[in-house]
Amino acid sequence: MQTKKNFTYPIIEQLQRALIVSCQASLGEPLASPEHIQALALSAINGGAAGLRLEGIENIKAVRAVTKLPIIGLSKAKTVKESEKLNKVYITASFAEAQDLANAGCDIIAIDGTGRPRADNLSLEQTIGHIHQQLSKAVLADISTVEEGINAQKYGANLVSTTLYGYTKETELPPEQGPGLELLKELVQRLEIPVILEGRVWYPDEVKKAFTYGAYAVAVGSAITRPELITKRFVQAIPKS
């Protein structure tokens, strides 16, 4: 169990040994509206979620209105195509986006922590510094490698998450590949800040293993809140003959 503390932002302690549920829906999906995201969030809370990860200003506002649980907020750049996401920053790509997220009511701001060029040309270190100094919010750095995690900690991130493992040019993996448990294990050993396992988590056993490896918390999204993807997995299990 990872027991690392961060007293500067006490909200982080509420996430220790917690399940964080990512309630998101892509544009064009039936659940892509604030009232539906709010319903997903409330359902996750009823099931025991101790924190939520939400994308979009209106979604954050809708959920903030009905819960005091920690909210990790992010934005996703609509101008970045799916084919470009391996190479470009699309998670909270500018400080202006972070400002909007803070104003919407989130407690922790998730940003791309890979060090790739950002939309406003600020460095990762500058972005984290501005969020701390001007917004007084904790920063969760979404990373894909150990080196990125080390740099994120160096630049002042309060937590790191394995969110981008498998989704960058350096770490690209097929969709069916499982979560970055080995990455998690090494990050826990090398960092002084809390590490969250997120991305590609589909099974309760993976959550259990993450905590044995020292995860501070585990975030699960699609396996809980994306009905079309859940359905697709069952449909694909039907024998062809």
Side-chain angles (χ1 to χ4, degrees):
M1 178 182 70
Q2 194 175 10
T3 58
K4 299 168 184 177
K5 301 283 187 178
N6 190 308
F7 293 104
T8 307
Y9 299 94
I11 193 76
I12 293 173
E13 294 184 44
Q14 294 184 38
L15 298 177
Q16 188 169 0
R17 290 193 69 78
L19 178 70
I20 301 165
V21 176
S22 179
C23 301
Q24 300 183 46
S26 298
L27 190 65
E29 293 180 356
L31 296 178
S33 66
E35 61 268 28
H36 292 141
I37 297 299
Q38 183 190 76
L40 286 172
L42 288 172
S43 296
I45 293 169
N46 288 344
L52 302 162
R53 181 172 165 120
L54 307 171
E55 186 276 330
I57 304 306
E58 296 307 316
N59 293 330
I60 292 170
K61 288 180 178 178
V63 176
R64 179 82 290 163
V66 296
T67 183
K68 294 182 179 179
L69 287 183
I71 293 177
I72 300 168
L74 66 140
S75 60
K76 289 185 177 178
K78 304 298 188 291
T79 56
V80 178
K81 301 176 182 177
E82 284 296 325
S83 60
E84 299 175 323
K85 288 184 176 180
L86 289 174
N87 301 300
K88 291 188 175 183
V89 169
Y90 61 93
I91 295 176
T92 317
S94 69
F95 176 64
E97 293 173 42
Q99 286 179 301
D100 290 339
L101 294 168
N103 291 335
C106 69
D107 304 290
I108 299 168
I109 296 176
I111 66 173
D112 181 300
T114 65
R116 295 176 294 184
R118 305 179 65 79
D120 54 9
N121 293 317
L122 291 177
S123 68
L124 179 61
E125 183 175 15
Q126 289 172 320
T127 301
I128 293 172
H130 288 348
I131 293 172
H132 285 162
Q133 296 158 16
Q134 298 183 39
L135 306 179
S136 299
K137 297 292 183 181
V139 176
L140 168 64
D142 291 336
I143 53 87
S144 66
T145 67
V146 172
E147 291 72 21
E148 290 166 359
I150 292 171
N151 285 333
Q153 175 178 270
K154 176 183 176 182
Y155 297 145
N158 305 99
L159 314 92
V160 299
S161 175
T162 62
T163 313
L164 290 173
Y165 171 72
Y167 298 105
T168 63
K169 185 177 180 181
E170 295 77 14
T171 66
E172 183 179 7
L173 292 168
E176 64 273 14
Q177 182 75 31
L181 287 165
E182 292 303 316
L183 172 60
L184 166 75
K185 189 174 183 179
E186 189 169 355
L187 287 168
V188 169
Q189 292 171 348
R190 299 187 64 176
L191 300 186
E192 296 301 320
I193 57 176
V195 182
I196 295 173
L197 179 72
E198 180 176 4
R200 304 165 180 268
V201 181
W202 280 99
Y203 304 102
D205 282 351
E206 293 168 340
V207 175
K208 183 177 181 180
K209 184 174 288 188
F211 283 112
T212 66
Y213 281 5
Y216 192 82
V218 175
V220 180
S222 297
I224 295 173
T225 59
R226 299 290 297 279
E228 60 271 46
L229 297 182
I230 298 167
T231 303
K232 185 177 180 180
R233 293 175 74 239
F234 281 97
V235 170
Q236 291 175 335
I238 299 173
K240 301 300 181 183
S241 59

